Amino acid sequence: MSQKIFFTNNVGKILEQLHDKLAPSKTMILTDNNVDEQYVTPILSPVLVGGPLEDIDIMSIKPGEEHKNIDEVKNVWKFFEEYGMTRSSLLINIGGGVITDMGGFAASCFKRGIRFINVPTTILGAVDAAVGGKTGVDFNGFKNEIGVFNEAEAVIISSWVFESLPHQERLSGFAEMMKHAMLSSAEDFDEILKINVIDNDFYEGVWLPLLEKSVGVKRRIVKADPTEKGLRKALNLGHTAGHAFESFALKGGNPIPHGYAVAWGLVVAAVLSNVHRGLPSSILYRLASFVKEKYGVFHITCDDYPELLEFMHHDKKNLTADAVRFTLLSDLGSPEIDCSLSDEEISVGLDVFRDLFGI
Ligand code: GLY
C-alpha cells in the first residue's frame, strides 16, 4: 500500500509540500458549504490566497448524505472539464465521509483516474472513510452501491478541526475508534475506555497519536486484504447489528447517527462473542457500561426482532441468505470473520443486549 498518511496540525504546510512533489497540471478542492465556511476558507487562506496554492479552484457542494449521488458526481465532472483538469491533475477532498467517498469516486473515474488527496474533517472520516480506498456513491436507495476501490495519494489528518464538531458527531466517530481498539489489543481497549471524547482538547498532543494508533489498525487490515475478500471483513465488527439498528430507526422515523448504531452493535457483537467464541464476560460488561454511559440506550422490544433480523439478512456484506454472518472476537485483538448464527441464536443475543441496558 503506497498511501501516505500524515498526522499533523499544519495541513497547509503538508498540502504545499505534496503539491510541490506531485506537480499537478491543475488542482481543485472539493468540499461542502459548511466545511468551506468553517475550515477551508479561513484556515487554508494563507496558502490559498496570494500563497503557493493560489491557482486552486474550490468547488463547494451542499452538505449531507442525500447529495452523495451520481447526479452530484456529474456536476463535479462538469466542473473538472470547465476548469481544464487533465489526467495529471489533482483533486483535494476536504470534508467528511460524503466528500471523501464521492470525491474519490469522481477522481477515480475521470479520464480513467486522476490523483486525489483526502483531508478528513470529522473523526469518522479520519479513522474510517478517508483511509483504505473505498470510494463511491449511494444509488437506488442503497448506500455505497456504486464505487471502486482506489486509494488516495495521501491522507492528511489533523485533530484541532474536531474541536468544532457537535458532541453527537464526536461520539459517532469515536465508535469506530472503539471498534479498532477491540480489533487490536487489550491495551488499546483499556486506553480507549479512558478517553472522554466530549470534553477532549483536540489541540492537545495526545490526540494525534491516538488517531495514528486507530488508523494503524485499519491500515494493517486493509494492507492484508485491500478488496475485502477475507480479513477486511473484520472491520465489520459491530456493523451487522449496527446497520440493522440504523435501518430500523430510519424506517421508524427516528434516524440515529451511524456511530451510535455501531456502538450498540459492538455490544451485540460482544454478547455473541461471549456466548459463541468465549470472549471474557468482563470485557463485555466493561464495554456495555461504557456504551450505556456515553451513547445511552437503544430501545427495542422482542416484538422488533423479526424486523431487525430481516435487516440483518439483507445486509449487503451477508453473502448467504439463510444465516447471518458476524465478525466476532474470541478475545480482544482476535477477530473471527464469517461466523454464521441462526435467528434463534441472534434473538438470544438481543435478549442479553436488552438485559445489559436494563430494557
Ligand atoms: N469501513 C470498513 C472498511 O473500510 O472496510
Side-chain angles (χ1 to χ4, degrees), residues 81-217:
E81 294 204 324
E82 279 158 23
Y83 186 54
M85 298 278 271
T86 68
R87 194 181 267 179
S88 61
S89 296
L90 176 71
L91 177 68
I92 303 173
N93 299 311
I94 306 183
V98 170
I99 290 294
T100 55
D101 279 11
M102 188 164 74
F105 177 66
S108 300
C109 300
F110 187 71
K111 296 191 187 288
R112 299 209 172 87
I114 63 169
R115 295 166 297 176
F116 63 99
I117 291 173
N118 286 339
V119 184
T121 55
T122 61
I123 300 178
L124 195 62
V127 298
D128 194 16
V131 178
K134 281 189 180 174
T135 73
V137 290
D138 304 337
F139 182 69
N140 216 13
F142 295 102
K143 281 189 77 168
N144 303 320
E145 185 74 349
I146 306 293
V148 295
F149 285 104
N150 187 26
E151 289 203 315
E153 204 66 26
V155 182
I156 309 173
I157 294 174
S158 57
S159 60
W160 55 264
V161 66
F162 306 147
E163 200 64 39
S164 61
L165 291 178
H167 290 178
Q168 218 185 38
E169 181 64 48
R170 293 183 187 189
L171 279 164
S172 196
F174 191 68
E176 298 288 350
M177 295 179 76
M178 276 168 24
K179 176 189 83 177
H180 288 159
M182 291 170 76
L183 291 171
S184 174
S185 66
E187 294 74 40
D188 286 4
F189 183 68
D190 289 347
E191 183 179 35
I192 211 84
L193 293 198
K194 289 191 194 116
I195 303 294
N196 185 346
V197 69
I198 294 302
D199 299 324
N200 219 286
D201 178 355
F202 292 99
Y203 289 88
E204 231 187 77
V206 291
W207 195 253
L208 277 181
L210 206 64
L211 288 169
E212 191 162 357
K213 194 181 270 188
S214 192
V215 171
V217 176

Side-chain angles (χ1 to χ4, degrees), residues 128 131 134 179 218 228 232 235 317:
D128 194 16
V131 178
K134 281 189 180 174
K179 176 189 83 177
K218 176 158 183 179
E228 204 166 346
R232 187 166 181 164
L235 294 172
K317 300 210 172 173

Side-chain angles (χ1 to χ4, degrees), residues 99 108 132 172 182 228-229 240 243-244 275 314 345-346:
I99 290 294
S108 300
S172 196
M182 291 170 76
E228 204 166 346
K229 302 272 188 297
T240 307
H243 282 151
V275 177
H314 285 107
E345 289 167 326
I346 300 166

